């Protein structure tokens, strides 16, 4: 093929085969990383691909592998820090594995709404569906659907299984409360997330169990909406009644709680110690810097992609995954109880 011809059209698989001196079937096997190709032949084909700047069409590859290397990602219809961070890091991990991602926002958490977004992705012939769950009802709906393809749920849950990937919200909450107990606090309140949120449910469970383990009084949690405004509203009205510490279910609400407590004339941490959850980038710059539980969203993105690859390429070997651990970041918003 002359240089004029190369400039006139993109190279195809037959051009690669001619330059490498092999059949187009061999080129296809190299492109799809199939076995039974000699190393020297594979190197020759890869050199030809690079020389011609050849890029196989997704449609052609799908015909050979019966896969599109496309992942359907269902995300909550919110901009909350946790789901947004998971989405970003999962996309990075998928790109590194040479998969594309089709993202659909779930605006209605009812069964018809869940079915609608899943069916939209199935029509695009995705290989697998990844669902970032922020409502326990959504997880139950998806578990009941006959998808015909693998799915992975990113969900905090006491129930584990091969389709569930998560960060350990339960043990993260316990570590936050244990920190306060070790500082001598005996009445520890909890500002929780929405009652139907999977993360909030697990954090409440961890808070309860840690208090129970130390035989401390459990005051029913107050549920917020994850926002700083919601935390502020709760903080203004929260009956402390001798409480010297508050575990807040996320950093955004903790920011609101801190502001409300100051307006009430209380010092942080002199009068009340506060612990958050998430470790927002801004948390270390608050006054005082916020003690909080860090989640490794980059590691979670990689773990989700590992699970996707197992589900798609080795479905018979998929086993239960262990939730990723959290880290307690101790800063200036907590101190020993007086």
């Amino acid at each position: 093929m002359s240089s004029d011809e190369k400039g006139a059209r993109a190279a195809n698989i037959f051009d690669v085969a001619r330059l490498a001196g092999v059949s187009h079937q061999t080129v296809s096997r190299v492109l799809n990383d199939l076995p039974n190709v000699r190393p020297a032949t594979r190197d020759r084909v890869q050199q030809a691909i690079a020389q011609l700047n050849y890029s196989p069409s997704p449609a052609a590859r799908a015909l050979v592998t019966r896969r599109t290397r496309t992942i359907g990602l269902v995300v909550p219809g919110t901009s909350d820090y946790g789901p947004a961070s998971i989405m970003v890091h999962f996309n990075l991990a998928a790109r590194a594995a040479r998969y594309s991602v089709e993202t659909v926002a779930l605006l209605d958490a009812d069964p018809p709404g869940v079915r609608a977004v899943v069916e939209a992705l199935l029509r695009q012939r995705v290989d697998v569906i990844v669902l970032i769950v922020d409502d326990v009802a959504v997880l139950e709906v998806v578990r009941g659907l006959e998808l015909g393809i693998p799915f992975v749920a990113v969900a905090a849950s006491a129930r584990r299984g091969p389709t569930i990937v998560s960060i350990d919200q339960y043990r993260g909450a316990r570590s936050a409360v244990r920190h306060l107990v070790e500082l001598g606090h005996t009445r520890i309140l909890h500002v929780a997330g929405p009652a139907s949120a999977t993360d909030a449910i697990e954090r409440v469970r961890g808070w309860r169990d840690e208090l129970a383990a130390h035989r401390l009084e459990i005051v029913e949690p107050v549920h917020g909406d994850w926002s700083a405004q919601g935390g502020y509203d709760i903080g203004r009205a929260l009956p402390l009644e001798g409480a010297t510490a508050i575990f807040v279910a996320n950093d955004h609400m903790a920011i609101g709680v801190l502001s409300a407590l100051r307006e009430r004339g209380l010092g942080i941490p002199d009068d009340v110690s506060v612990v958050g959850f998430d470790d927002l980038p801004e948390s270390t710059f608050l006054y005082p810097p916020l003690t909080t539980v860090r989640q490794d969203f980059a590691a979670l993105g990689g773990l989700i992609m590992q699970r996707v690859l197992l589900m798609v390429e080795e479905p018979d070997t998929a086993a239960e995954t262990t939730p990723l651990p959290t880290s307690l970041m101790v800063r200036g918003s907590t101190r020993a109880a007086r």
Side-chain angles (χ1 to χ4, degrees), residues 219-264:
V219 179
E220 282 303 303
V222 180
H223 290 276
D225 61 1
W226 296 132
S227 72
Q229 180 66 56
Y232 174 77
D233 293 340
I234 290 171
R236 289 185 64 188
L238 190 65
L240 297 177
E241 297 174 350
T244 58
I246 305 173
F247 168 44
V248 188
N250 78 333
D251 286 1
H252 278 121
M253 289 196 298
I255 290 170
V257 168
L258 290 174
S259 180
L261 293 178
R262 280 195 211 93
E263 287 186 6
R264 292 171 64 173

Side-chain angles (χ1 to χ4, degrees), residues 204-224:
V204 168
R205 191 167 71 90
W207 166 77
R208 284 185 186 277
D209 286 357
E210 190 64 26
L211 288 181
H214 294 280
R215 299 182 179 179
L216 296 177
E217 180 184 4
I218 298 173
V219 179
E220 282 303 303
V222 180
H223 290 276

Side-chain angles (χ1 to χ4, degrees), residues 30-117:
V30 172
L31 288 169
N32 293 289
D33 201 23
L34 298 175
N36 301 326
V37 179
R38 292 177 180 174
T41 302
R42 189 180 296 274
D43 290 343
R44 205 160 64 246
V45 170
Q46 289 172 340
Q47 289 171 10
I49 290 170
Q51 184 176 335
L52 295 173
N53 195 25
Y54 171 64
S55 178
S57 72
R61 177 167 284 180
L63 287 174
V64 176
T65 63
R66 298 189 182 276
R67 297 205 303 266
T68 61
R69 296 188 74 84
T70 303
I71 301 163
L73 177 63
V74 181
V75 300
T78 69
S79 58
D80 289 340
Y81 178 72
S85 298
I86 296 169
M87 179 176 66
V88 168
H89 288 289
F90 172 66
N91 270 274
L92 292 174
R95 185 186 305 165
R98 296 187 301 162
Y99 274 73
S100 61
V101 179
E102 293 288 341
T103 304
V104 179
L106 179 62
L107 301 177
D108 298 309
D110 57 2
V114 177
R115 289 192 190 95
V117 297

